[in-house]
């Protein structure tokens, strides 16, 4: 009887040790994920984190737990598309001095073009001009691309094969959006005073794509396309 009881106690101790080991492994996995994001100047993808975690751990679940832990702190862990980054808590941004060079203030034309690309992507330059009712200068698009907020997505399968444009992860990061579905809707835009009270009855805010995958009427950008667009020198070498 005594031996049997001792066996039970040993079993309970072994189970307790297993729980402790699991907890230690979970804490270590969180520390690894935390270190990877902290050490990166850019948002870190969940795929990158998964590759460096011990087998059997779910990167998304770990990041959600860390996000909750950092929520009340001066630095928050935020999701940017399928990546993660540390950012100053929004209510403390006013105390942070920004000595680094900031992106220059966008012109009204650039803001209009950026908004059209964000909501209508994938969109071509001709489609942007059709929506705005005026021509769009190459300089306006250059400013948005230099800021890192707009990119070439692909080429439309229509005559002339026009280039399609879309936003980037940096766009989401800069404007504090986890994903494109977080873009303000009609009521939010009206509440912010960005839309006049005289809105056409059939006016609506389009729903942007939720991922970066090419649509059925888009072809991927090739090296030849990049050379044609002036993004690569002939032969594939980047321009200095």
């Amino acid at each position: 009887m005594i031996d049997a009881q001792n066996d039970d106690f040993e079993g309970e101790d072994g189970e307790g040790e297993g729980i402790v080991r699991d907890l230690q492994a979970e804490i270590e996995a969180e520390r690894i994920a935390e270190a990877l994001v902290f050490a990166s100047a850019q948002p870190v993808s969940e795929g990158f984190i998964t590759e460096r975690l011990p087998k059997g751990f779910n990167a998304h679940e770990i990041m959600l737990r860390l996000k909750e832990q950092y929520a009340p702190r001066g630095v928050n862990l935020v999701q940017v598309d399928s990546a993660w980054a540390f950012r100053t808590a929004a209510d403390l941004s006013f105390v942070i001095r920004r000595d680094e060079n900031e992106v220059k203030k966008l012109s009204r034309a650039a803001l209009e073009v950026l908004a059209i690309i964000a909501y209508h992507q994938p969109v071509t330059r001709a489609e942007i001009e059709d929506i705005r009712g005026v021509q769009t200068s190459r300089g306006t698009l250059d400013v948005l691309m230099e800021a890192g907020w707009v990119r070439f997505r692909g080429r439309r399968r229509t005559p002339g094969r026009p280039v399609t444009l879309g936003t980037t992860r940096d766009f989401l990061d800069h404007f504090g959006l986890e994903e494109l579905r977080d873009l303000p809707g009609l009521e939010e835009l009206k509440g912010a005073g960005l839309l006049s009270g005289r809105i056409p009855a059939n006016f609506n805010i389009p729903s942007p794509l939720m991922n970066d995958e090419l649509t059925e009427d888009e072809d991927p950008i090739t090296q030849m396309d990049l050379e044609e667009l002036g993004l690569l020198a002939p032969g594939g070498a980047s321009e200095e």
Side-chain angles (χ1 to χ4, degrees), residues 5-21:
Q5 288 177 344
N6 288 339
D7 288 342
D8 289 341
F9 287 137
E10 289 176 0
E12 291 176 1
D13 290 343
E15 183 178 349
E17 291 176 359
I19 293 174
V20 171
R21 285 195 299 270

Side-chain angles (χ1 to χ4, degrees), residues 46-224:
E46 286 187 4
F48 182 86
I49 296 171
T50 298
E51 291 174 358
R52 286 153 181 79
L53 288 178
K55 290 184 179 179
F57 285 95
N58 185 302
H60 186 66
E61 292 180 357
I62 288 176
M63 301 314 292
L64 289 179
R65 286 200 297 271
L66 287 173
K67 178 182 179 180
E68 185 176 353
Q69 294 172 23
Y70 274 93
R73 301 183 183 178
V75 175
N76 296 156
L77 181 63
V78 300
Q79 186 173 359
V80 184
D81 197 10
S82 59
W84 294 85
F86 282 113
R87 294 290 181 264
T88 303
D91 62 326
L92 297 179
S93 59
F94 72 96
V95 301
I96 305 299
R97 292 185 59 189
R98 297 183 63 92
D99 294 327
E100 68 274 13
N101 292 327
E102 296 186 12
V103 177
K104 66 179 181 180
K105 186 176 181 179
L106 295 180
S107 65
R108 179 173 178 174
L111 285 172
E112 289 177 356
V113 171
L114 180 60
I116 291 170
I117 294 174
Y119 283 98
H120 292 265
Q121 59 187 305
V123 62
T124 66
R125 180 173 173 177
E127 290 167 343
I128 293 172
E129 293 176 347
D130 183 54
I131 293 170
R132 294 186 65 218
V134 296
Q135 284 192 324
T136 300
S137 70
R138 177 59 188 266
T140 298
L141 289 174
D142 286 344
V143 167
L144 296 175
M145 289 190 170
E146 288 171 6
W149 297 342
V150 169
R151 65 184 177 88
F152 293 125
R153 283 178 48 98
R155 304 205 79 152
R156 187 68 54 76
R157 293 176 184 172
T158 56
R161 300 187 66 244
V163 175
T164 55
L165 299 162
T167 53
T168 65
R169 179 181 291 168
D170 285 345
F171 165 79
L172 295 175
D173 191 19
H174 181 85
F175 289 97
L177 305 171
E178 288 191 5
E179 54 187 357
L180 288 173
R181 74 171 73 248
D182 294 328
L183 284 167
L186 179 60
E187 294 304 317
E188 292 172 294
L189 292 173
K190 288 170 63 178
L194 298 177
L195 292 177
S196 66
R198 298 180 179 179
I199 302 174
N202 61 347
F203 181 84
N204 64 81
I205 300 292
S207 299
L209 292 177
M210 290 299 108
N211 56 60
D212 291 333
E213 295 181 5
L214 297 176
T215 59
E216 293 182 358
D217 64 346
E218 286 181 289
D219 286 323
I221 294 281
T222 65
Q223 178 173 309
M224 185 176 298

